[in-house]
Amino acid sequence: MHQHETFEEGLALDCGTLLRPLDVAYRTYGRLNDSRSNAILLCHALTGDQYVAETHPVTGKAGWWETLVGPGKPIDTDRFFVICANVLGGCMGSTGPASEMTDANGAKQGRPWGTLFPPVTIRDMVRAQAMLVERLGIPKLFAVIGGSMGGMQVLEWAALYPTRVFAAIPIATAAWHSAQNIAFHEIGRQAVNADPDFHGGEYWRHGTIPARGLAVARMTAHITYLSEQALTRKFGRRLRTGPMLTFDKDLFEVESYLQYQGSTFVQRFDANAYLTITRAMDFFDLAAEYGGSHGGTLGEAFRNSPVRFCVISFSSDWLFPTAMSREIVRALNAAAANVSFVEITSDKGHDAFLLDEPDLFRTVSGFLKGAAERWSHG
Amino acid sequence: MADGLVSPRIGRPLSDRLDLRLIAEMVEPRSRVLDIGCGDGALLDILVHERAVDGRGIEIDMGEVAAAVAQGLPVIHADADTDLAFYPDGAFDYVILSRTLQATERPREVLAQMLRIGRRAIVSFPNFGHWRVRLALLATGRMPRTEVLDRAWYDTPNIHFCTLTDFFDLCALDGYVVEQWLGVDDEGKRTPWRRNRRLANLFAEQGLFLLRRG
């Protein structure tokens, strides 16, 4: 149903499991040029997917980055060949917990993976993307760009494949997931677990989905994507009905907004995929992958990196605050890497990277323009 | 270095442009350069496009950073007083501090950091020993305001003024070798008193120094 590539040889995961075969679902926009030098890979966030710049086939809504990606947009599909793949462990066509389970020989087991799906890491996700990029015949990406969890993948790309990426734009992200972020994720996971319809992850056996638990997980997460100012501006203390306090009815507009966010989410997202991907984010610690404890030797991940970086944060983002981006910038400086860094003033919180932010557009298009000058010089 | 360089005006006073030209001429082509307090990247733009350097900038004003990055220049939002410590030793051939020294919290430490992370440092600053500054203080009894020093004392980012002589003294104290120095007059041209520090200290509106570790 979703456009995808199948890799019969499979992918050896960080946990030791060979996931075979491997499906990677993806979408592309624009045209690959003859020299195969105009490819940009976009990495989506936790609940995003490959439908970046077109109407979503499930929700019918606009693509999640149509503000930034398209003809004449900052990521100009008239110039660039833009690729976005559904992450490994996701639920939009790439191999994930809802896919049919296979053994190490690739033999089908006649049931979905469900909770038996092996734990995946951000690095596994990036390896799967790299297989796709190779399959598409692209020796070196002009740029890898992504926000939030997508930004983690961007950092991982630069660390893992420094000669296969020319420029990297990690946006509203961090080189490790903080204790606070892990804590919020755990609330979400516990909400899913507590839903009787979850059935210990075997809801597919019972023909149910843990809709209430997953909706609560989404509601909690959604608050972390916004800022206090954004919520106040959008809803304030506005009431849905008269100013009469009742025990069970929604009183405030912000309540029904969150419930709407939760209910639409469960229609398009698999609960086990949500658990798998949040675990991958929590486990992410780029410095640890390069022999250090977090923070200490992040620079090692980028030692002698030829990649040009543009790190972007948003002033009101408290989920991935500017301080986290600054850690990345300092590590890149310690590695004497080529780095730009902009903190964009916005009161829209973490979500700002998905919204209409002219400063973000200017920064991305300017950085890509400067990088393209260098790229054409060889 | 050519005299009487003609520079196109790019939305800023001619003296500014010439000041940057003089700095750019001190930099070897294709070297690695860090420009501290790079503003919107005017100097970096010259260095990257005309001298093919591998140039980076740091700037404390976020609006300026955004403007520089939007032009495709590699600039980060950072504070010279705290963030230079994160660069490794000898990462750059030149570290440039143009008209920013007097606005730093700890200019002596900033200079030391510059000469740690760079093989050479290029520093320019307004000369508080200029005759007009001296005369203004003497005549009016108030903090002098000139074209370069154009803000009131309570409103200025410039908190560590010095004269050319003061700067020579600091270089001697900390063991820096002055490889080149220039006095720059009101028009941004090199002054003719190159050999005479005392005259330069009186007539130069700005000082421009090329330093290396002793």
Side-chain angles (χ1 to χ4, degrees):
Chain A
M1 153 183 164
H2 301 282
Q3 178 188 6
H4 68 276
E5 287 288 326
T6 300
F7 300 87
E8 296 296 342
E9 73 275 25
L11 172 64
L13 303 176
D14 275 333
C15 68
T17 303
L18 177 64
L19 200 55
R20 187 178 180 195
L22 170 74
D23 283 346
V24 180
Y26 68 102
R27 295 294 294 162
T28 66
Y29 309 90
R31 207 181 61 79
L32 186 63
N33 62 14
D34 293 340
S35 55
R36 298 163 184 269
S37 62
N38 68 332
I40 292 180
L41 179 74
L42 304 182
C43 303
H44 68 74
L46 168 58
T47 63
D49 53 42
Q50 66 272 38
Y51 297 99
V52 175
E54 62 191 297
T55 305
H56 195 278
V58 178
T59 65
K61 288 185 178 165
W64 57 271
W65 234 0
E66 280 195 23
T67 50
L68 198 70
V69 182
K73 303 266 177 71
I75 299 172
D76 188 348
T77 51
D78 287 339
R79 294 182 59 204
F80 298 115
F81 178 62
V82 175
I83 309 159
C84 185
N86 184 216
V87 291
L88 173 67
C91 53
M92 281 293 159
S94 290
T95 304
S99 310
E100 185 169 357
M101 187 169 159
T102 52
D103 65 13
N105 298 314
K108 294 184 172 183
Q109 304 295 299
R111 54 157 284 180
W113 280 99
T115 50
L116 297 179
F117 191 73
V120 299
T121 62
I122 297 291
R123 185 160 54 181
D124 291 329
M125 294 174 179
V126 166
R127 286 183 178 124
Q129 291 164 357
M131 290 166 79
L132 173 69
V133 168
E134 194 178 356
R135 176 74 59 90
L136 295 176
I138 295 156
K140 184 169 184 174
L141 292 163
F142 170 63
V144 181
I145 306 170
S148 198
M149 184 182 81
M152 293 175 167
Q153 293 162 45
V154 172
L155 295 173
E156 188 70 75
W157 257 99
L160 200 55
Y161 304 114
T163 59
R164 293 172 64 180
V165 185
F166 183 71
I169 312 185
I171 304 170
T173 193
W176 62 83
H177 222 210
S178 72
Q180 178 176 261
N181 293 4
I182 295 168
F184 276 115
H185 272 175
E186 183 57 10
I187 295 174
R189 286 190 292 261
Q190 288 301 328
V192 171
N193 270 309
D195 188 329
D197 285 338
F198 183 60
H199 295 290
E202 305 222 322
Y203 47 91
W204 47 273
R205 277 190 204 283
H206 299 81
T208 59
I209 55 167
R212 285 164 295 172
L214 191 57
V216 170
R218 176 62 171 176
M219 288 166 72
T220 309
H222 200 80
I223 298 169
T224 68
Y225 303 153
L226 302 175
S227 67
E228 201 246 336
Q229 301 101 297
L231 278 172
T232 301
R233 185 170 25 143
K234 246 176 169 164
F235 308 107
R237 292 182 48 79
R238 278 200 303 280
L239 301 167
R240 279 173 56 76
T241 53
M244 179 69 77
L245 186 59
T246 57
F247 185 73
D248 57 347
K249 289 228 174 62
D250 295 347
L251 194 60
F252 294 98
E253 282 192 3
V254 66
E255 296 173 327
S256 55
Y257 167 79
L258 275 184
Q259 284 168 18
Y260 172 76
Q261 291 294 330
S263 66
T264 54
F265 179 62
V266 301
Q267 293 160 20
R268 67 176 176 92
F269 219 89
D270 174 56
N272 283 328
Y274 191 80
L275 302 187
T276 298
I277 300 172
T278 56
R279 286 279 186 213
M281 286 181 79
D282 291 356
F283 195 70
F284 183 62
D285 183 349
L286 195 55
E289 288 175 18
Y290 290 84
S293 60
H294 87 239
T297 54
L298 184 55
E300 282 304 314
F302 305 114
R303 181 72 51 216
N304 298 322
S305 179
V307 178
R308 296 167 74 89
F309 292 86
C310 181
V311 179
I312 300 173
S313 70
F314 295 92
S315 57
S316 58
D317 183 349
W318 55 277
L319 192 62
F320 290 91
T322 290
M324 301 299 277
S325 285
R326 211 175 281 284
E327 292 283 352
I328 297 167
V329 171
R330 284 173 175 169
L332 289 169
N333 283 339
N338 187 315
V339 53
S340 300
F341 167 51
V342 181
E343 182 197 47
I344 290 167
T345 302
S346 162
D347 69 354
K348 293 173 185 153
H350 183 60
D351 247 6
F353 84 91
L354 296 169
L355 301 174
D356 187 20
E357 288 284 354
D359 281 345
L360 172 66
F361 303 161
R362 269 195 287 278
T363 302
V364 169
S365 60
F367 173 76
L368 288 179
K369 191 191 80 187
E373 281 176 20
R374 284 282 157 180
W375 171 253
S376 56
H377 293 161
Chain B
M1 282 181 288
D3 278 308
L5 262 170
V6 179
S7 165
R9 278 170 186 266
I10 310 179
R12 53 178 73 224
L14 193 62
S15 57
D16 268 28
R17 302 301 310 180
L18 283 173
D19 176 50
L20 300 183
R21 291 270 159 200
L22 292 175
I23 293 174
E25 284 167 16
M26 285 183 164
V27 173
E28 288 287 323
R30 282 172 292 283
S31 53
R32 288 169 62 91
V33 176
L34 177 67
D35 183 8
I36 302 170
C38 64
D40 66 2
L43 174 60
L44 269 182
D45 196 53
I46 295 172
L47 291 171
V48 168
H49 291 109
E50 295 177 22
R51 300 189 82 81
V53 308
D54 180 359
R56 321 278 170 81
I58 76 173
E59 169 58 43
I60 199 165
D61 182 308
M62 190 41 83
E64 302 262 49
V65 176
V69 174
Q71 292 174 60
L73 297 167
V75 172
I76 68 168
H77 181 237
D79 183 344
D81 277 307
T82 54
D83 290 312
L84 295 181
F86 295 96
Y87 289 87
D89 295 357
F92 297 95
D93 299 311
Y94 300 91
V95 179
I96 299 172
L97 189 67
S98 162
R99 297 195 190 186
T100 308
L101 185 69
Q102 76 285 352
T104 61
E105 291 268 348
R106 294 182 300 278
R108 189 178 180 184
E109 279 73 13
V110 168
L111 268 181
Q113 285 288 356
M114 290 174 70
L115 282 160
R116 178 185 67 78
I117 65 182
R119 292 194 300 118
R120 289 187 165 76
I122 297 175
V123 183
S124 80
F125 54 87
N127 173 28
F128 211 72
H130 188 265
W131 67 269
R132 214 179 278 133
V133 175
R134 298 188 200 192
L135 185 64
L137 185 59
L138 184 69
T140 69
R142 293 192 167 86
M143 283 302 284
R145 292 171 72 170
T146 66
E147 206 175 315
V148 179
L149 313 171
D150 60 351
R151 309 267 283 270
W153 66 271
Y154 46 78
D155 196 29
T156 180
N158 303 318
I159 52 179
H160 283 117
F161 283 124
C162 68
T163 68
L164 295 194
T165 306
D166 289 328
F167 192 78
F168 275 113
D169 289 350
L170 179 61
C171 291
L173 185 66
D174 284 350
Y176 306 140
V177 177
V178 178
E179 285 198 340
Q180 282 184 50
W181 68 273
L182 305 170
V184 183
D185 73 7
D186 317 19
E187 258 105 52
K189 293 185 185 128
R190 285 187 291 136
T191 49
W193 328 284
R194 276 197 67 181
R195 307 257 169 235
N196 190 320
R197 293 181 184 188
R198 284 191 60 205
L199 284 177
N201 197 34
L202 195 55
F203 292 112
E205 192 139 285
Q206 295 175 60
L208 177 55
F209 288 73
L210 176 65
L211 311 176
R212 66 173 165 81
R213 270 166 284 179

